[in-house]
Amino acid sequence: MLGWAGTEPKRGARMAHEASPAGRTRQWYRPMRPRDRQEEHRASTPLELLFDLCFVVAVGQAAAQLHHALGEGHVGHGVLSFAMVFFAVWWGWLNFSWFASAFDTDDVPYRLATLVQIAGGLTVAAGVDRAFDGNYDVVVAGYVLLRLAAVVQWLRAARQSPETAKTAYAYAVGITVVQVLWIARLALPESLALASFLVLVLLEFAVPLLAESRAGTTWHPHHIAERYGLFTLIVLGETVLSATNAVKEGLAAGAHTGDLVSLAVAGLVLVFSMWWLYFDRPGHARLTRGDSLRTALSWGYGHYLIFGSAAAVGTGLELAVDFDSHHTALGGTATALAVTVPVAVFLLSVWLLHIGPTNECRPIAVGFPVAALLILGASFGPAPIHLTAVLAAGLVAVTVVATHGQRWAG
């Protein structure tokens, strides 16, 4: 649910008071009305944080299965399966986050519907193993559950918020129709699996575009930027966990300690650099740059590449440990590419979404794509993981020097 509201609700000031922690009284039920887009101190709620933590379980499962598939040499199958499963996780998370930014009432019905969505996400996580084997029944069941719970929320918003009723009903109808098609897809022959998946993804993307063209919802740019930043942190944390477990297993398998320590340091520098580069500029600065639906769609949808590549970096680091301990079917170059490709995708995605090729600060406008190309080239040289870490850290240094003294809009 993406869009840009041109006007605020007439009850904006009153609703901001009712929805803020200081002005909120404990009620089991309150009308679901749009939040004030200018509300101050709009922060993520404990329920949203729980949502993130539960959904990252599915991210971890998908990354683990990607590691298993790539380690056995099934590169094409592993990458494709990961991309498809990750879509289910990411799209469910994205739609909840944007809806909550505009309509969070935090009453009992809202909490119960959100908990059902979390149950759907955990069901998706439980079906990841089967999905990598070609059976998507459990993933689809979980995905449909979380999406239909979102429909309940939209129907409630339509009934209780007349000013957004048309938009809310458009969401409810569009989501429901696409869920029916996801279920029907399970009956299609395997030869149509990929084509039908791509068609349904486009239909999912089209629902917010069509719904928000009626009347934009009142999502909060600072809140959305924080939500995306928090999920980025969680995914990077999952990457650190995967790499740490890989080093531990490598030590247990008798791999050379010096090599593993060196690789662990390089991985840590790489993750730290990714964190720095993503958070160097506040995300809301791009979201508030123009009142356009295209801005919201490109920024919100584009984070699929940021989240997915960040998760894949952990898999690549695990494979690098496997390579050093002789527990993978991949060769040296293929193992290096498992790290360098997602890092390059991450840098290019952050560049496009947070920096922009026409940025007035030319060192970073040029530095991000140049660093991405150099990192890809490092795949074919000696010590590619270490060189990748050095290049990423070097880009951090460039951004620090080039942007010294700049102030970002608050």
Side-chain angles (χ1 to χ4, degrees):
M1 113 5 42
L2 301 168
W4 192 276
T7 59
E8 300 299 334
K10 295 179 179 179
R11 296 179 296 274
R14 179 171 64 84
M15 288 306 300
H17 174 74
E18 291 178 356
S20 65
R24 179 180 289 174
T25 57
R26 176 57 60 194
Q27 299 177 14
W28 80 270
Y29 178 83
R30 58 171 56 88
M32 179 176 281
R33 298 193 180 101
R35 299 284 291 259
D36 182 2
R37 228 183 124 257
Q38 302 300 327
E39 179 183 339
E40 294 184 357
H41 310 299
R42 179 76 165 94
S44 298
T45 66
L47 183 60
E48 289 173 322
L49 298 179
L50 176 65
F51 195 96
D52 293 353
L53 289 174
C54 290
F55 265 62
V56 84
V57 173
V59 174
Q61 290 293 316
Q65 288 301 310
L66 176 62
H67 172 224
H68 180 72
L70 295 182
E72 294 185 345
H74 307 308
V75 177
H77 169 75
V79 171
L80 181 60
S81 298
F82 175 79
M84 295 171 71
V85 169
F86 197 85
F87 170 81
V89 179
W90 165 77
W91 190 245
W93 177 88
L94 177 147
N95 281 268
F96 164 77
S97 297
W98 288 80
F99 179 89
S101 189
F103 292 102
D104 180 12
T105 59
D106 196 33
D107 58 6
V108 172
Y110 177 86
R111 288 186 175 191
L112 291 176
T114 300
L115 294 177
V116 173
Q117 290 178 269
I118 291 175
L122 292 175
T123 303
V124 170
V128 168
D129 291 6
R130 292 166 63 87
F132 271 74
D133 289 333
N135 188 342
Y136 284 82
D137 55 352
V138 177
V139 168
V140 169
Y143 179 76
V144 170
L145 175 63
L146 74 91
R147 298 294 280 136
L148 292 182
V151 169
V152 173
Q153 300 275 49
W154 279 115
L155 290 174
R156 183 183 173 193
R159 291 193 305 270
Q160 299 174 3
S161 304
E163 61 268 47
T164 57
K166 290 184 178 180
T167 299
Y169 278 126
Y171 269 111
V173 172
I175 293 171
T176 301
V177 169
V178 178
Q179 301 324 296
V180 172
L181 295 177
W182 279 115
I183 296 173
R185 176 181 175 273
L186 294 175
L188 295 178
E190 187 176 351
S191 58
L192 297 176
L194 179 57
S196 60
F197 173 81
L198 294 175
V199 169
L200 289 177
V201 166
L202 292 177
L203 291 177
E204 290 278 20
F205 286 171
V207 171
L209 177 63
L210 296 176
E212 295 286 344
S213 64
R214 297 171 175 265
T217 48
T218 57
W219 52 271
H220 196 291
H222 287 76
H223 176 247
I224 285 296
E226 182 192 31
R227 298 290 298 118
Y228 274 69
L230 288 172
F231 202 72
T232 301
L233 285 175
I234 292 176
V235 174
L236 288 175
E238 180 66 29
T239 295
V240 172
L241 177 62
S242 298
T244 301
N245 288 335
V247 171
K248 180 180 177 181
E249 293 172 2
L251 291 172
H256 192 276
T257 303
D259 292 340
L260 290 179
V261 170
S262 175
L263 185 60
V265 171
L268 201 58
V269 170
L270 184 55
V271 172
F272 288 169
S273 298
M274 292 168 66
W275 167 84
W276 193 303
L277 295 168
Y278 180 87
F279 289 99
D280 187 62
R281 291 199 169 197
H284 68 265
R286 192 66 180 263
L287 285 173
T288 56
R289 190 165 298 175
D291 293 1
S292 70
L293 177 60
R294 184 177 67 176
T295 299
L297 289 172
S298 61
W299 194 90
Y301 289 3
H303 269 74
Y304 171 83
L305 295 175
I306 290 179
F307 294 157
S309 61
V313 168
T315 297
L317 292 174
E318 286 186 277
L319 289 169
V321 174
D322 291 345
F323 180 80
D324 284 349
S325 56
H326 310 290
H327 285 89
T328 179
L330 294 179
T333 301
T335 301
L337 287 169
V339 176
T340 58
V341 170
V343 171
V345 171
F346 181 88
L347 294 182
L348 291 174
S349 302
V350 172
W351 174 63
L352 288 172
L353 298 182
H354 283 190
I355 307 298
T358 60
N359 193 284
E360 64 279 2
C361 183
R362 299 313 297 168
I364 62 171
V366 175
F368 272 76
V370 168
L373 289 175
L374 291 175
I375 286 172
L376 288 176
S379 309
F380 307 97
I385 312 301
H386 301 76
L387 184 54
T388 296
V390 170
L391 289 169
L395 181 58
V396 170
V398 169
T399 62
V400 170
V401 173
T403 60
H404 176 69
Q406 291 189 15
R407 298 182 62 183
W408 313 127

